[in-house]
Amino acid sequence: MTQIEFRSDNAAGVAPEILTAIGDANTGTAIAYGADDLTASLEWLIREVFEHPTARVFPVTSGTAANALSLAALCPPWGSVLCHDSAHILQSECGATSMFGGGAVMRGVRGNDFRIQPDTFRAALEAVRWGDPHHSQPAVLSLTQPTDMGTIYSLDEISTLTAIAGERGLRVHLDGARMANAIAALGCSAADVTWRAGVDVVSLGATKNGALSTEAIVTFDDAAADELVYRTKRSGHVTSKMRYQSAQLHAYLTDDLWLRLATNSNRQMTRLAAGLADLGVEFVNRPDVNMLFARMSDDVATELEAAGLLFYRMPGSIRLVTSWQTSDADIDAALDRFRTVCEDAA
Ligand SMILES: Cc1ncc(COP(=O)(O)O)c(C=O)c1O
């Protein structure tokens, strides 16, 4: 029986267009460490895609690096980064931001649907002892879009939160490990969901959506960009063969490839979620993009695994993620197997 992949969008392969771009970049020689023509032109492409005349871009090799280096550039060592309780930077990056940020503290903020709400954000800010040197001083708001649990912030919600951050002088970071999925779901532009909504620095994901160990930091804040020149080097992210990363990001952002890939993964999740809802499966989250947490007993989860479905198990639920590679046939076959297992369990 063939296995059907829902563990992670990281489990998917590299998109053919991106592999071709790597091959195309592999002719002759080019100067190292990002001084090549492809990397130079990437900055112009980023400015076009994000409609921002002074945006800058720093290719890095992982989302954790993009987050930790961005936040370190925005937060002083005595500062704190406020993020949702469930944020990857807080829960799943082994304190990378605190390490690169010279001890900067991460503070979780509550909020329904895995999103920070204006009232929970204001309450977190009001609880701070501002100006007290015994207390870390909030310096950055970090939003995850889409969230780690597959929900998205509307543009108004982002603007409201960034305006509150601005009242207290906080700068704003966006963890966009799956940003293309959010843009595809919202039907907005890259500018709308970032700097126009008050975001200063973005971790722009690409690997989960078809690239090969390549992500980027995109800045709309010159001071952060000036620091990132050195922070990326000190942390080992100014790779000597950066042209291959730049070639991928070029292909990714050209002719809306990133949005086309994300549109497929979102669409496949919509189909999967609709089919599961018909079977009476309950969801933990609202599957706004390509990720679904479905309530499932351990016994049923074991039966689903035996039926060749690959997913992560959580206490009382399973995590299902679709990708650019998920096909209509995958979803049809998966739903057949869910139906058989759920009917047997009923
Ligand atoms: C929301 C989010 N941010 C950041 C990351 C980190 O990416 P990486 O695993 O490339 O370090 C992930 C990875 O799963 C993620 O889901």
PDB file of all heavy atoms in Angstrom, residues 27 90 180 190 215 284:
ATOM      1  N   THR A  27      26.323  27.246 -14.243  1.00  0.00           N
ATOM      2  CA  THR A  27      27.185  27.351 -15.428  1.00  0.00           C
ATOM      3  C   THR A  27      28.316  28.313 -15.096  1.00  0.00           C
ATOM      4  O   THR A  27      28.092  29.356 -14.485  1.00  0.00           O
ATOM      5  CB  THR A  27      26.418  27.900 -16.646  1.00  0.00           C
ATOM      6  OG1 THR A  27      25.726  29.075 -16.223  1.00  0.00           O
ATOM      7  CG2 THR A  27      25.437  26.888 -17.192  1.00  0.00           C
ATOM      8  N   LEU A  90       9.112  30.570  20.272  1.00  0.00           N
ATOM      9  CA  LEU A  90       9.080  30.331  21.721  1.00  0.00           C
ATOM     10  C   LEU A  90       9.135  28.840  22.039  1.00  0.00           C
ATOM     11  O   LEU A  90       9.786  28.420  22.985  1.00  0.00           O
ATOM     12  CB  LEU A  90       7.792  30.948  22.296  1.00  0.00           C
ATOM     13  CG  LEU A  90       7.550  30.837  23.794  1.00  0.00           C
ATOM     14  CD1 LEU A  90       8.664  31.532  24.565  1.00  0.00           C
ATOM     15  CD2 LEU A  90       6.211  31.483  24.159  1.00  0.00           C
ATOM     16  N   ALA A 180       3.530  32.430   1.966  1.00  0.00           N
ATOM     17  CA  ALA A 180       2.839  32.297   0.672  1.00  0.00           C
ATOM     18  C   ALA A 180       1.448  31.699   0.872  1.00  0.00           C
ATOM     19  O   ALA A 180       0.489  32.091   0.187  1.00  0.00           O
ATOM     20  CB  ALA A 180       3.658  31.425  -0.276  1.00  0.00           C
ATOM     21  N   ALA A 190       1.936  40.963  -1.188  1.00  0.00           N
ATOM     22  CA  ALA A 190       3.004  40.788  -0.191  1.00  0.00           C
ATOM     23  C   ALA A 190       3.182  42.071   0.613  1.00  0.00           C
ATOM     24  O   ALA A 190       3.492  42.028   1.805  1.00  0.00           O
ATOM     25  CB  ALA A 190       4.303  40.401  -0.892  1.00  0.00           C
ATOM     26  N   GLU A 215      15.738  30.113   2.850  1.00  0.00           N
ATOM     27  CA  GLU A 215      14.731  31.045   3.341  1.00  0.00           C
ATOM     28  C   GLU A 215      15.342  32.434   3.154  1.00  0.00           C
ATOM     29  O   GLU A 215      16.512  32.541   2.760  1.00  0.00           O
ATOM     30  CB  GLU A 215      14.456  30.820   4.831  1.00  0.00           C
ATOM     31  CG  GLU A 215      14.255  29.378   5.230  1.00  0.00           C
ATOM     32  CD  GLU A 215      12.822  28.894   5.125  1.00  0.00           C
ATOM     33  OE1 GLU A 215      11.936  29.501   5.754  1.00  0.00           O
ATOM     34  OE2 GLU A 215      12.588  27.913   4.393  1.00  0.00           O
ATOM     35  N   VAL A 284      -9.384  20.827  15.832  1.00  0.00           N
ATOM     36  CA  VAL A 284      -8.882  21.672  16.921  1.00  0.00           C
ATOM     37  C   VAL A 284      -8.740  23.115  16.436  1.00  0.00           C
ATOM     38  O   VAL A 284      -8.965  24.062  17.168  1.00  0.00           O
ATOM     39  CB  VAL A 284      -7.503  21.153  17.415  1.00  0.00           C
ATOM     40  CG1 VAL A 284      -6.921  22.049  18.511  1.00  0.00           C
ATOM     41  CG2 VAL A 284      -7.613  19.707  17.893  1.00  0.00           C
TER      42      VAL A 284
END
